Amino acid sequence: MQVSVENTSALERRMTIAVPAERVETEVNKRLQQTARRAKVPGFRPGKVPMSVIRQRYEDAARQEAFGDLVQASFYEAVVEQKLNPAGAPAVEPKSFEKGKDLEYVAIFEVFPEFTVAGFDSIAVERLSAEVADADLDNMLEVLRKQNVRFEAADRAAQNEDQLNIDFVGKVDGEVFAGGSAKGTQLVLGSGRMIPGFEEGLVGAKAGEERVLNLTFPEDYQNLDLAGKAAEFTVTVNSVAEPKLPELTEEFFAQFGIKEATLEGFRTEVRKNMERELRQAIKTKVKNQVMDGLLAANPIEVPKALLENEVNRLRVQAVQQFGGNIKPEQLPAELFEEQAKRRVVLGLIVAEVVKQNELKPDEDRVREMIQEMASAYQEPEQVVAWYYKNDQQLNEVRSVVLEEQVVDTVLQKATVTDKSVSYEEAVKPAQAPAAAE
């Protein structure tokens, strides 16, 4: 087999492969013999059809079948011989496939970029440290109470945080517009659900009152037909209900599955969850800084095939997340290209760090991570056992641990500054969170 390779770009390869005619004919004859054993031809008993008849009837199909198999097999042999690492399936251009002659074709494909990860010492990381103070715990208890708020009818004017039941009709240029009317809608004042001025315009209203609100849609409103336009809303307030926060009682604690349904037991459990969230938030912020640093220090070219695969994966995820009657391929690729490129590049860099440093998942850390996740459940032992019985889930945890080990490897040479902050600052999402793998 003859093979020649041409570098047409940094990653693209144009490989010409010639498969000897003898090998081609051997493959064709093999298929014809297989066909002869099962072919049913009028006038002949099964298995007794002359080869000349078999060849006349089935040779073209056998040759096409042999072509596909020979291309697949010879391409694999060629990339192994040339020590190439394809990043996707090749585009095949046949050059010669005549009976009695060598099979010759051109395979065009991209290879994975070859590089050495460097620049660990140029990466600067700010590592936060914080504790869950009693005041933070008290604030969290209030958040949990507000999340479980109930509303009771109030015979007074509406205030912020009250829940109103309303009917409304919206008009633009005197005409009712699509989606601008509703009956029996529940609206909490101050929630920001409606356009600016709508909720504010209902403060002070009482049950049975009608108000006319003259408002303007924001310039960046999602419905471009309404963006920036003046609108008139006629709103009828059907009822006003005020919020009532639940008391910290045994009944309230039971909603959260707390074994020790006392205030002390509840505070202990909530604190544990907050500390778990804190550890994860700090770890994530460190990881994002490391990944940003690796990206900046290691610019590499991305194979188009990998980028397209990641874009398609993100399309599918978007459809699954947001639903709707839309197919993934209908979503514009450019919406996902930047995120896809980041993911692909980081994947290549992380894999290379693993390879260069001969890293393997630390099984002790794997168990610790599983136990940490399991501690959030009522029966943690069962959760741990479930992970170790499911290879796919277990391997996903191993991948996360391996990524953490990559971060640790970088931190050994990076410039790390420790900073003590409050709990709120530590768990607050970064302004522009890095896209993780």
Side-chain angles (χ1 to χ4, degrees):
M1 189 171 73
Q2 295 180 341
V3 180
S4 64
V5 181
E6 177 186 356
N7 295 358
T8 51
S9 72
L11 297 181
E12 189 178 83
R13 302 291 181 266
R14 182 182 176 89
M15 185 162 66
T16 302
I17 300 173
V19 180
E22 295 81 1
R23 181 175 174 182
V24 175
E25 296 309 316
T26 297
E27 289 297 320
V28 172
N29 290 333
K30 186 191 300 182
R31 281 158 180 76
L32 288 174
Q33 289 168 2
Q34 291 171 348
T35 301
R37 287 196 290 269
R38 62 177 184 271
K40 294 181 179 179
V41 178
F44 299 96
R45 287 180 296 167
K48 300 295 183 179
V49 183
M51 184 55 69
S52 58
V53 175
I54 294 294
R55 191 173 293 278
Q56 181 182 7
R57 283 178 170 243
Y58 300 107
E59 185 172 7
D60 287 347
R63 194 165 293 278
Q64 286 301 319
E65 187 179 326
F67 173 80
D69 289 347
L70 282 168
V71 166
Q72 184 175 355
S74 60
F75 175 76
Y76 174 75
E77 293 166 11
V79 295
V80 170
E81 174 191 311
Q82 298 295 319
K83 297 180 180 178
L84 297 173
N85 189 8
V92 175
E93 298 176 357
K95 291 185 68 177
S96 173
F97 188 47
E98 297 179 27
K99 185 175 181 179
K101 294 185 178 181
D102 292 352
L103 161 62
E104 189 173 355
Y105 67 93
V106 174
I108 302 170
F109 57 96
E110 288 180 301
V111 295
F112 282 92
E114 295 182 2
F115 63 99
T116 300
V117 181
F120 289 7
D121 54 357
S122 69
I123 297 174
V125 175
E126 183 180 71
R127 184 167 52 199
L128 305 181
S129 63
E131 293 183 355
V132 178
D134 288 342
D136 299 317
L137 180 57
D138 292 338
N139 289 338
M140 182 58 70
L141 296 187
E142 283 304 298
V143 169
L144 294 175
R145 292 177 70 200
K146 288 179 180 178
Q147 289 176 350
N148 290 273
V149 67
R150 56 188 175 82
F151 292 92
E152 294 182 355
D155 187 17
R156 58 166 174 76
Q159 303 173 0
N160 261 334
E161 299 188 359
D162 283 349
Q163 184 184 70
L164 308 189
N165 183 286
I166 59 172
D167 303 334
F168 64 89
V169 177
K171 297 181 180 180
V172 171
D173 296 329
E175 297 290 333
V176 176
F177 60 90
S181 304
K183 285 185 175 293
T185 293
Q186 303 280 33
L187 175 66
V188 175
L189 299 186
S191 63
R193 271 183 53 203
M194 309 299 279
I195 65 173
F198 191 102
E199 293 169 31
E200 294 87 340
L202 296 178
V203 173
K206 293 184 177 181
E209 185 176 340
E210 179 179 283
R211 288 195 174 185
V212 177
L213 310 176
N214 291 296
L215 309 173
T216 302
F217 282 95
E219 293 291 342
D220 59 352
Y221 192 64
Q222 57 192 11
N223 185 338
L224 298 180
D225 293 335
L226 298 174
K229 290 188 176 180
E232 179 186 272
F233 290 90
T234 302
V235 185
T236 301
V237 178
N238 300 320
S239 64
V240 176
E242 60 185 351
K244 293 290 185 181
L245 295 180
E247 296 297 323
L248 294 174
T249 62
E250 185 174 329
E251 182 181 358
F252 178 74
F253 304 146
Q255 295 180 55
F256 297 88
I258 306 298
K259 288 184 179 179
E260 187 183 342
T262 64
L263 179 57
E264 182 180 353
F266 186 64
R267 288 176 68 88
T268 298
E269 198 63 32
V270 172
R271 185 185 289 275
K272 284 182 184 177
N273 290 335
M274 293 175 70
E275 289 171 345
R276 187 183 303 113
E277 179 188 14
L278 177 61
R279 287 192 296 271
Q280 187 57 47
I282 290 173
K283 191 185 295 184
T284 298
K285 287 182 178 179
V286 169
K287 172 192 162 185
N288 286 342
Q289 292 175 78
V290 167
M291 295 302 172
D292 286 342
L294 287 173
L295 280 173
N298 297 276
I300 60 175
E301 191 169 341
V302 179
K304 295 185 184 68
L306 298 186
L307 184 58
E308 289 173 5
N309 287 342
E310 191 59 35
V311 165
N312 290 334
R313 190 160 26 244
L314 291 172
R315 279 170 160 166
V316 171
Q317 288 177 4
V319 170
Q320 290 174 341
Q321 181 177 355
F322 299 108
N325 298 320
I326 188 170
K327 296 180 179 179
E329 59 269 22
Q330 292 177 303
L331 296 173
E334 55 268 22
L335 289 177
F336 307 97
E337 282 177 354
E338 185 176 347
Q339 184 184 4
K341 183 176 181 181
R342 179 185 174 87
R343 286 191 175 199
V344 171
V345 172
L346 276 178
L348 294 172
I349 291 174
V350 167
E352 189 60 28
V353 174
V354 170
K355 179 182 174 183
Q356 286 177 205
N357 294 274
E358 298 181 348
L359 299 177
K360 293 182 179 179
D362 183 330
E363 292 301 328
D364 289 338
R365 290 179 65 164
V366 170
R367 178 166 286 276
E368 287 175 10
M369 180 171 287
I370 291 173
Q371 289 173 338
E372 172 88 354
M373 293 186 292
S375 66
Y377 294 86
Q378 287 185 311
E379 302 292 341
E381 299 84 3
Q382 293 182 12
V383 177
V384 172
W386 180 82
Y387 268 97
Y388 278 96
K389 289 178 182 176
N390 291 272
D391 288 341
Q392 182 177 345
Q393 283 73 23
L394 184 58
N395 287 331
E396 286 177 3
V397 177
R398 287 191 176 116
S399 296
V400 174
V401 167
L402 190 58
E403 194 172 84
E404 288 186 356
Q405 292 174 237
V406 168
V407 171
D408 292 343
T409 301
V410 175
L411 290 177
Q412 290 174 8
K413 295 184 179 179
T415 302
V416 181
T417 305
D418 291 306
K419 181 182 178 182
S420 295
V421 297
S422 67
Y423 168 82
E424 288 295 335
E425 184 174 348
V427 299
K428 182 174 62 177
Q431 289 291 333
E437 291 65 46

